[in-house]
Amino acid sequence: MTMASLRKAAVCIIFAFFLSSGAVISAFLDFGEKYGYSIMRLTVPLTVIMLMAALINYRVLIPRFLLRGNYASYGICAFMLAYAVPLAGIGFERVVREQLGLPHRIMDYSSPWILADALSSCVLIIALLAGMSIIVLYCRWKEQTYEAISLEKRLNDNIAMMKSRLNPGYITASLTRITDLFHTDAEKANTEIRRLSDFLRHQLYELPMPDSTAVYPATETEGKRQIVAEIISEPRYRVWRHLLLQIMIAMISIGSFFDTPDMPQFSLRRCYGVLSLDLVLNIIAYTNIYVLFPYFLRRGHERRYAAAVGIFMAFLAMAIIAIQVKTYDPAPYGRNLPLPILCISTIGSLLTLVLYLGATAALLSLKKWLAGNRRIAELNAETSRCELSFLKKQINPHFLFNVLNNAGVMAYDEPDTARNMLEELRRLLDYQLAGVRNTSTTIGAERQFVEAYLALEKTRRDNFVYSVVCSGGAEYRCVPPLLFIPFVENAVKYSPRDFLGTGGIEICFTLQDNQLVFTCSNPIGSNARPSGGGLGIANTRRRLQLIYRDRFSLSTDDDGQTFLVTLKIPVWTA
């Protein structure tokens, strides 16, 4: 056994001892003064019972049910295990009293109230076991790769399939060879163009257009895991999560009605005690949820979090002691017990609350990780969808053959224009097909990509006017790839066919205080633009929200003649 394992075992034993000490003192409080310190020997069997429950949960229930996705089976077994612990404690008390010849505290061991009292203790034990289970589940989910094919993987598979079928290396080499032939042998250049066109025709017409929205079946385990992950992290389940927490707190609090497991006391004084304990448990839970966790643990300040918890629990200890003295008749603080025993009992109560708080912290950590992991997956999928969508447009046979045919015609009379046309096509396809897919690219590379796209559009339209400006040193800063092309596509789509007398498409990249200000304006043609700038801008807004959350600004302005998009985003250096 390693030192780390020994330390974990020692911590578990210490926690189990202090937790069981509170149960022993409550069970044998009537003879605490007579037996003094010797009463603490009874904590050993109860400590063993609690350790056995934790060990069964860790070694049996978690690996056989929880980690295999059998969540319902795990819940049932964990409930039975937690319920057995207080019942075993009651059985242990009966045996000890009979062996020592002590009168029984519980007069009727067949009373159904015993089951109700055990249920109250059971819920607290479930919370403690759940904390352990959530930590294990959190560590395992972080290590494992999802077995099902995610949306991101499906999209990437489609992209890889399309790129491999098109053979980017062959296309790039062919375009380079053709451009070199324009000034030396126009006829041979046209022969190469026809050869490339035949290749593309063969590939493109046989190339299936994959459906990025197709549903791929997930494994049963993955489906269950996804449901549990959504319940833990999705906002739409927030009310149900808080309702479950309130039910658990209420079930723990009703234990204050019981002097003995078979004799509840439904007095007004006890009702105050139940409500007070319910309030204290709510204060612990929601202070951790809305103050301690977000301000310390979420930001990685574990030591500050531990110190804050210690100070917080010290203040609550006084409130808990006051509640016990005022509302619970046989409170240990009203008996002549040795001071160390009282201290152990108090520490046991505090550790119970600390573990209860730890269970909520573990759940919050898992929720935070799930939300972040889901956000990253959505962002990657949105990026892949953007690339796949643009890739489908650029490998459109009509678009490619139109560019190649135009270049072939111009090869005889305008070789320079034809050469520039194919250079732009090669740059465009290189960026889309041969480039390595990274999480970021430079603004300069994005600018070149946009210019190549607009240059090709110019070959297809008469009087097409555009300008692309990059200032303030912006070209060396980094941004996510393919972020601006949807705005440029919209500008081309909704501009007039003939730009005479209407201005042109104006694109500007400007760096201001470590922020990129991107503007794209175009004259409005007869084809009216949808409200908000079209589907491309709506999809890009979603991607921006995933990347930057609230750290970006996107606005549109339509004065009836010109449509303007303004985007402000943080940038970083390469």
Side-chain angles (χ1 to χ4, degrees):
M1 183 178 290
T2 63
M3 288 299 298
S5 300
L6 289 174
R7 284 195 294 268
K8 291 179 182 178
V11 170
C12 289
I13 291 172
I14 292 172
F15 268 87
F17 168 76
F18 279 106
L19 294 176
S20 60
S21 66
V24 167
I25 292 172
S26 297
F28 297 95
L29 187 62
D30 48 346
F31 288 92
E33 298 178 35
K34 176 181 177 181
Y35 286 96
Y37 291 108
S38 60
I39 196 175
M40 299 308 297
R41 290 180 295 179
L42 300 177
T43 61
V44 175
L46 283 185
T47 299
V48 172
I49 291 174
M50 295 194 70
L51 289 174
M52 287 298 297
L55 188 63
I56 292 172
N57 181 57
Y58 184 73
R59 293 291 187 183
V60 180
L61 302 187
I62 291 177
R64 291 193 178 183
F65 298 108
L66 189 64
L67 296 183
R68 295 182 181 181
N70 299 322
Y71 302 112
S73 300
Y74 173 78
I76 294 172
C77 293
F79 175 80
M80 294 174 62
L81 178 64
Y83 203 77
V85 171
L87 293 178
I90 292 174
F92 169 73
E93 178 187 349
R94 181 177 184 177
V95 171
V96 169
R97 286 181 178 271
E98 288 179 353
Q99 291 295 322
L100 297 179
L102 302 176
H104 286 284
R105 179 175 66 110
I106 301 173
M107 299 303 175
D108 183 8
Y109 282 95
S110 63
S111 171
W113 288 113
I114 292 179
L115 300 179
D117 180 65
L119 182 62
S120 176
S121 302
C122 161
V123 173
L124 184 58
I125 295 172
I126 286 177
L128 303 182
L129 294 180
M132 176 194 301
S133 304
I134 290 169
I135 292 173
V136 175
L137 195 65
Y138 170 59
C139 295
R140 179 60 60 90
W141 280 6
K142 287 186 69 175
E143 294 173 357
Q144 288 182 340
T145 302
Y146 286 106
E147 299 172 3
I149 302 176
S150 65
L151 173 59
E152 177 196 355
K153 185 177 185 302
R154 297 201 305 270
L155 292 167
N156 289 340
D157 287 345
N158 291 339
I159 292 169
M161 181 271 293
M162 296 173 74
K163 290 181 177 180
S164 64
R165 286 290 301 271
L166 285 171
N167 195 345
Y170 174 77
I171 295 175
T172 300
S174 297
L175 291 173
T176 302
R177 187 165 55 252
I178 293 168
T179 55
D180 291 339
L181 289 171
F182 276 137
H183 286 290
T184 59
D185 192 340
E187 188 62 38
K188 191 172 182 179
N190 266 283
T191 301
E192 290 292 332
I193 287 176
R194 286 192 293 271
R195 184 178 300 168
L196 178 58
S197 297
D198 289 340
F199 169 79
L200 291 174
R201 185 177 294 106
H202 176 72
Q203 296 298 327
L204 292 175
Y205 284 117
E206 289 186 1
L207 182 64
M209 289 294 105
D211 181 7
S212 62
T213 63
V215 178
Y216 287 67
T219 62
E220 183 179 356
T221 300
E222 173 61 22
K224 292 178 181 178
R225 177 167 20 181
Q226 186 65 28
I227 293 173
V228 172
E230 289 180 356
I231 293 174
I232 293 175
S233 62
E234 284 294 303
R236 65 177 180 272
Y237 293 108
R238 182 180 181 183
V239 174
W240 294 104
R241 291 195 296 266
H242 285 278
L243 180 61
L244 178 61
L245 176 62
Q246 291 304 315
I247 292 174
M248 293 182 64
I249 290 176
M251 293 181 69
I252 294 172
S253 301
I254 62 175
S256 297
F257 280 123
F258 291 86
D259 283 344
T260 60
D262 63 331
M263 294 179 61
Q265 301 294 324
F266 298 108
S267 63
L268 183 61
R269 185 181 183 186
R270 289 302 175 86
C271 288
Y272 288 148
V274 170
L275 294 176
S276 299
L277 181 58
D278 188 280
L279 177 62
V280 168
L281 293 177
N282 271 289
I283 291 173
I284 293 174
Y286 286 101
T287 301
N288 189 44
I289 292 171
Y290 293 111
V291 180
L292 300 181
F293 182 83
Y295 281 94
F296 298 106
L297 200 57
R298 179 182 289 172
R299 300 179 181 180
H301 305 313
E302 289 85 0
R303 293 182 180 179
R304 295 181 185 179
Y305 176 76
V309 168
I311 296 172
F312 178 56
M313 297 307 297
F315 280 104
L316 283 178
M318 295 183 287
I320 293 171
I321 292 173
I323 291 172
Q324 285 186 323
V325 171
K326 293 294 184 181
T327 64
Y328 199 62
D329 289 330
Y333 305 101
R335 301 299 182 92
N336 188 26
L337 294 176
L339 181 60
I341 293 180
L342 289 177
C343 291
I344 291 173
S345 176
T346 302
I347 292 173
S349 299
L350 287 177
L351 285 181
T352 302
L353 296 177
V354 168
L355 290 178
Y356 162 73
L357 187 146
T360 61
L363 184 61
L364 290 170
S365 297
L366 180 60
K367 177 187 174 184
K368 174 179 175 288
W369 177 80
L370 286 171
N373 193 58
R374 184 180 184 86
R375 175 174 167 267
I376 292 172
E378 288 179 357
L379 173 58
N380 291 339
E382 196 66 36
T383 301
S384 298
R385 185 184 288 110
C386 176
E387 180 177 1
L388 179 59
S389 174
F390 193 77
L391 183 58
K392 285 181 179 180
K393 293 177 182 177
Q394 300 315 309
I395 64 171
N396 180 279
H398 177 72
F399 174 83
L400 284 177
F401 297 151
N402 185 43
V403 173
L404 290 173
N405 289 335
N406 287 344
V409 172
M410 294 178 181
Y412 297 98
D413 300 324
E414 302 177 66
D416 288 336
T417 303
R419 180 187 179 92
N420 292 337
M421 186 185 302
L422 292 192
E423 283 287 349
E424 299 299 341
L425 178 61
R426 184 173 61 81
R427 287 168 58 190
L428 192 71
L429 293 178
D430 277 349
Y431 196 85
Q432 278 297 110
L433 297 176
V436 179
R437 298 182 68 243
N438 295 319
T439 57
S440 66
T441 186
T442 63
I443 295 174
E446 283 286 289
R447 174 196 177 183
Q448 292 176 2
F449 180 58
V450 167
E451 287 179 332
Y453 172 76
L454 292 173
L456 282 178
E457 286 294 334
K458 185 176 177 63
T459 66
R460 304 172 61 199
R461 299 171 62 171
D462 296 330
N463 302 314
F464 185 83
V465 182
Y466 69 90
S467 67
V468 182
V469 178
C470 190
S471 62
E475 60 184 2
Y476 302 108
R477 299 302 180 94
C478 292
V479 291
L482 298 172
L483 194 61
F484 310 106
I485 194 64
F487 303 111
V488 180
E489 285 181 315
N490 267 16
V492 172
K493 180 178 180 180
Y494 294 106
S495 294
R497 295 293 304 176
D498 191 339
F499 277 55
L500 288 176
T502 61
I505 295 174
E506 296 179 358
I507 297 169
C508 183
F509 300 87
T510 306
L511 189 64
Q512 295 180 0
D513 300 327
N514 287 324
Q515 271 202 331
L516 174 69
V517 180
F518 167 81
T519 59
C520 178
S521 66
N522 64 278
I524 299 175
S526 58
N527 48 341
R529 184 188 300 265
S531 176
L535 184 60
I537 290 182
N539 290 339
T540 303
R541 186 186 295 273
R542 168 62 178 159
R543 188 180 174 204
L544 288 166
Q545 289 170 345
L546 290 170
I547 298 173
Y548 299 106
R549 296 191 178 181
D550 58 350
R551 296 182 297 115
F552 78 96
S553 171
L554 177 62
S555 61
T556 59
D557 181 50
D558 184 351
D559 62 5
Q561 296 181 339
T562 304
F563 188 84
L564 173 66
V565 174
T566 303
L567 172 64
K568 296 180 181 180
I569 57 173
V571 292
W572 60 94
T573 55

